Amino acid sequence: MALLFIAGYAPATELAYGFFVAVLYGGFPFTVFSQLTTGPMLDVIAPEDKLGLIQGLNNSAMNFGMAVAPWLFGILADTTTTNISIWTGIGVSFLAGAINAPLIWRPEMGPPPKKIPSELRPLPDEDESMVEKALAGSYIEPSVLFAINRNRAKEGKHYIVPNVTSYEEDKNNMEKLRATARSHFEFKHRIYDAALAEVSNPNSEVDKQEICDLLNKAMKGDPEVMAERTTELGQWIGDYLQDNGYAPQVNSVLIKQMILTAMPPIFQGDLTPDNIEPGLLRTRHIVGRYANNEEKRLP
């Protein structure tokens, strides 16, 4: 519009020419951005089986307009005046903008939805019902969950990251939650036994570094999701302590000491060929102790 105004009304001086060139080349990159975004916008609103047709029609319409419009505006300028031709072009541009304005409110034209991380959704060839159940934070057989996560690790994917149900949701189901604790601990104990036998065998063909890389990737995921789940679990523990007589608000140091006793460090940082075997030994020992405690627990 500024170019048309300079061409139509400004006097033919070097200053006007300078402004014309500055506006022309200063604004040109914006026309490139506009052209680059047209294709993706059409891809969003076009039916999937008509993408090629729609893109073809778009290019045909643009080329036809570029071929015919100058001729029509030239005739208009000769018939009337150059300024009338210029303002007609401006009016057509505003009309085109008004016609396209409703697209602003199409949800497809907004930011693309964030892709759901693999750790928060079923993957192809997985038992969708089981994965959804695990993601909801419900109990499923440890062997089933282990098989799903093992396959994910082999494919270089992340483990399932379950939702952490609140303490209020679990409060009335504590006995049900604990009823499966012993079998869960014992299953984990057997898994660690098997893993230790493999990594400690000098004749094993297992590449420790490869195993560590797979496990490190599998246990990580979207940082935001990881932080959220950790916070939710911390909230669950705090609510449990508060509701069951531990008075965490006045016994914070004691509770920290109890946690350190119940859950001593396994390893810090990522798994490496140097710490994987000691880490497995410590985990096996801790889980075995929990299994023994459950066995001794009075009904």
Side-chain angles (χ1 to χ4, degrees):
M1 185 172 178
L3 288 175
L4 297 174
F5 181 80
I6 294 171
Y9 293 96
T13 64
E14 291 183 357
L15 180 63
Y17 178 71
F19 275 117
F20 183 88
V21 171
V23 173
L24 174 64
Y25 289 102
F28 182 75
F30 295 98
T31 66
V32 175
F33 296 149
S34 175
Q35 294 172 31
L36 290 176
T37 57
T38 302
M41 290 170 66
L42 289 173
D43 284 344
V44 169
I45 63 176
E48 290 188 8
D49 60 339
K50 297 290 189 297
L51 291 177
L53 172 64
I54 298 302
Q55 291 289 359
L57 290 173
N58 174 57
N59 287 324
S60 296
M62 291 178 65
N63 291 330
F64 179 80
M66 291 173 66
V68 174
W71 173 64
L72 292 178
F73 279 109
I75 294 175
L76 179 63
D78 289 341
T79 305
T80 56
T81 66
T82 300
N83 286 341
I84 289 177
S85 177
I86 289 173
W87 284 106
T88 301
I90 293 172
V92 170
S93 297
F94 275 104
L95 178 62
I99 292 173
N100 286 280
L103 291 175
I104 297 172
W105 290 278
R106 286 288 296 263
E108 299 94 332
M109 296 301 172
K114 186 177 179 181
K115 185 178 180 180
I116 301 175
S118 61
E119 60 267 30
L120 297 181
R121 57 183 168 86
L123 300 179
D125 300 324
E126 288 184 339
D127 187 328
E128 188 171 341
S129 63
M130 281 296 177
V131 175
E132 291 290 359
K133 189 176 180 181
L135 287 169
S138 301
Y139 176 83
I140 65 173
E141 284 296 325
S143 57
V144 175
L145 183 59
F146 173 78
I148 293 172
N149 282 332
R150 180 181 57 187
N151 290 335
R152 285 181 170 230
K154 287 180 178 179
E155 295 176 8
K157 301 293 195 309
H158 300 301
Y159 284 160
I160 291 172
V161 178
N163 176 52
V164 180
T165 52
S166 68
Y167 173 71
E168 283 300 318
E169 293 176 86
D170 293 336
K171 184 176 180 178
N172 296 322
N173 297 309
M174 288 300 183
E175 285 305 314
K176 183 178 179 182
L177 182 63
R178 193 162 189 179
T180 55
R182 180 182 172 187
S183 61
H184 200 164
F185 296 149
E186 290 175 345
F187 174 80
K188 286 290 188 180
H189 198 267
R190 292 194 298 272
I191 291 297
Y192 295 131
D193 277 343
L196 274 167
E198 193 68 40
V199 299
S200 62
N201 183 357
N203 298 319
S204 173
E205 298 181 357
V206 170
D207 186 327
K208 287 186 180 181
Q209 185 61 61
E210 183 179 352
I211 293 296
C212 290
D213 290 342
L214 287 173
L215 291 175
N216 286 330
K217 181 176 180 179
M219 289 189 291
K220 294 179 181 177
D222 187 297
E224 186 177 335
V225 176
M226 302 298 104
E228 184 179 319
R229 293 297 185 270
T230 302
T231 300
E232 290 170 348
L233 184 57
Q235 185 65 53
W236 192 100
I237 294 171
D239 292 342
Y240 171 82
L241 294 172
Q242 184 69 54
D243 196 44
N244 287 275
Y246 287 90
Q249 71 277 11
V250 296
N251 290 315
S252 58
V253 173
L254 174 63
I255 288 170
K256 289 177 184 178
Q257 293 167 335
M258 294 167 68
I259 290 174
L260 289 173
T261 302
M263 291 180 287
I266 299 172
F267 63 87
Q268 294 183 335
D270 288 341
L271 280 170
T272 67
D274 293 329
N275 68 18
I276 186 170
E277 189 172 341
L280 286 170
L281 282 167
R282 294 189 190 102
T283 308
R284 177 186 178 280
H285 172 73
I286 294 167
V287 172
R289 189 176 64 193
Y290 290 159
N292 289 335
N293 288 341
E294 284 299 310
E295 185 177 5
K296 296 173 183 177
R297 186 167 68 97
L298 294 176

